[in-house]
Amino acid sequence: MLRVIHTADWHLGQSFHGQERTTEHRAFLAWLLDTLEQQQADALLVAGDIFDVVNPSLRAQQLLYDFIVDAHQRCPELQMVLIAGNHDSGARIELPAPLMQRLHAHAVGRVSWLDDGNLDSQRLLVPLTDSTGETRAWCLALPFLRPSEITGRGQSSGPQGDLLQDETQSYVRSAERVHQQLMDAARQQRQPGQALIAMSHAHLHGAAVSEASERPIVIGGEESISAAIFPEDISYVALGHLHRAQRVGEERIRYSGSPLPLDFSEAGYHHQVLMLELDGERLGEVTALPIPRAVAMQRIGPGTLDEALEQIAQLPLRSDNADPQCSDHKYWAWLEISVRLDAPMADLRARIDEALADRAARLLRLRRELPGTGREQPRHGERLEDIGPRRLFERVWQEQWGAPAEPDVLNDFDRLCQDVLEQDGEETS
């Protein structure tokens, strides 16, 4: 019997409306350490987006490497397999790989190709052993597939020019081809009775996407691949990228979801890790282990100002020490308030701040909705990081041309953003 913990999308180092979240990430990692020890796990799979940006802060990197060291000290036989996601720099993830292997941690950041044009599969196959040291399964560790790494590579037939005519379809076909080559190599590697676990950072067709916090993997948000590429001999598929925990068609194909809500739209999600048991090639029970939330995330509204003030009055009071620098402050809830107004109200923020003066909550976002718009009123002091590049581009386009940007224009913008991210990842490696 092999016991495996599946998690993903940690986004260490995330800046949430200008606020750092080290307290929450540290609490999650401490809980995960306890869970790995209590459940006597044989392996931990982290399916990408370990960091929030390709050039993470030193504090974010320290969180990861302290966790790996602590996990090895507390669970010496535990095997850890980590892959890069679309938010990560693959080169950065792989840089300490030789040292991490001494701690039974395997980091895979990028795919590579052999001289004959085929996928270098061996570096992506990680044996998973039980407490006796016997190999019970193989992890097919497939990091996020960047378009520049895979389109036009390893084609069995057809001219490359034809393949590149439609960039989105080119990406999907190339990604599916890479998955297939890796599964073929794993079948040749394994022995009878050994399970195959595919781990991939990808968007599967039909899976539910979060409202605001998930960056398109390639262009136009149409990069999803079919779950049908994982045949029945793949005992379990451990997925990352989508923040909502969910099955995709079958019990064995799962997104673990993110351990923390990464946007207010995710406040109502069930955040968890998944524990699966394998008896030979047979997948046994898959159990969701809920993650305690160190810091609450709350949304008030949309409603009238009076309704918002009434809900604020129900928030917990601060402790006697109301100093924002006190130790309790870092555990106060994150708060978003949406207020519907009949007309602009200059003192709205002042009235909200007054109501929150004795409440254990931190207001991160105040949304104003004016009649007839159904949309948020632009506000002074809005942070660019809260808007995001795509939404900012859409606003500027609308203002410049008086009409929404066409899908083709947004596809071009998404492609440029992806090119910048890939270049940043290469420059920081």
Side-chain angles (χ1 to χ4, degrees), residues 230-250:
F230 300 108
E232 291 296 327
D233 65 341
I234 304 298
S235 300
Y236 184 79
V237 182
L239 296 167
H241 177 55
L242 300 186
H243 301 161
R244 184 192 295 270
Q246 57 192 291
R247 304 176 185 84
V248 185
E250 302 180 50

Side-chain angles (χ1 to χ4, degrees), residues 299-313:
R299 305 178 92 175
I300 290 179
T304 66
L305 175 58
D306 288 341
E307 290 170 340
L309 295 176
E310 182 178 343
Q311 292 183 59
I312 289 173

Side-chain angles (χ1 to χ4, degrees), residues 150-203:
I150 65 169
T151 50
R153 305 298 296 268
Q155 301 172 68
S156 57
S157 62
Q160 181 170 330
D162 292 341
L163 182 64
L164 297 178
Q165 287 180 359
D166 182 335
E167 292 185 57
T168 300
Q169 289 303 312
S170 171
Y171 177 82
V172 171
R173 287 195 295 268
S174 298
E176 292 179 346
R177 186 179 297 112
V178 171
H179 281 80
Q180 188 61 59
Q181 286 192 23
L182 183 56
M183 288 186 289
D184 289 344
R187 293 186 185 101
Q188 297 177 12
Q189 185 80 32
R190 73 165 173 184
Q191 300 298 316
Q194 295 176 346
L196 298 182
I197 302 175
M199 179 165 61
S200 180
H201 191 88
H203 181 182

Side-chain angles (χ1 to χ4, degrees), residues 60-175:
Q61 294 178 70
Q62 184 178 5
L63 283 173
L64 173 64
Y65 300 127
D66 283 350
F67 169 82
I68 291 173
V69 171
D70 290 344
H72 181 67
Q73 289 178 339
R74 293 177 60 174
C75 308
E77 302 305 319
L78 176 73
Q79 299 155 93
M80 294 168 271
V81 187
L82 305 87
I83 59 174
N86 60 304
H87 280 249
D88 298 312
S89 162
R92 183 180 294 279
I93 294 297
E94 286 190 351
L95 184 63
L99 294 176
M100 291 170 62
Q101 287 180 3
R102 295 180 178 272
L103 304 175
H104 297 173
H106 305 268
V108 182
R110 298 177 291 187
V111 296
S112 58
W113 303 86
L114 301 174
D115 292 339
D116 61 5
N118 289 317
L119 180 71
D120 185 358
S121 300
Q122 292 305 309
R123 63 186 297 272
L124 307 177
L125 297 175
V126 181
L128 301 180
T129 58
D130 62 14
S131 57
T132 68
E134 184 173 351
T135 298
R136 296 294 184 182
W138 290 87
C139 178
L140 291 62
L142 198 58
F144 165 59
L145 300 173
R146 300 188 183 279
S148 61
E149 294 175 346
I150 65 169
T151 50
R153 305 298 296 268
Q155 301 172 68
S156 57
S157 62
Q160 181 170 330
D162 292 341
L163 182 64
L164 297 178
Q165 287 180 359
D166 182 335
E167 292 185 57
T168 300
Q169 289 303 312
S170 171
Y171 177 82
V172 171
R173 287 195 295 268
S174 298

Side-chain angles (χ1 to χ4, degrees), residues 9 44 97 115 143 157 201 213 250-251 256 267 288 309 311 327 330 343 348 354 368:
D9 297 280
L44 170 69
D115 292 339
S157 62
H201 191 88
S213 65
E250 302 180 50
E251 185 77 9
S256 65
L309 295 176
Q311 292 183 59
S327 60
K330 60 186 179 182
L348 176 62
E354 182 182 2
R368 303 161 172 87

Side-chain angles (χ1 to χ4, degrees), residues 16-31:
F16 188 53
H17 295 270
Q19 304 296 313
E20 61 90 20
R21 307 186 72 180
T22 303
T23 296
E24 295 168 272
H25 281 121
R26 186 174 287 120
F28 159 66
L29 294 175
W31 172 86

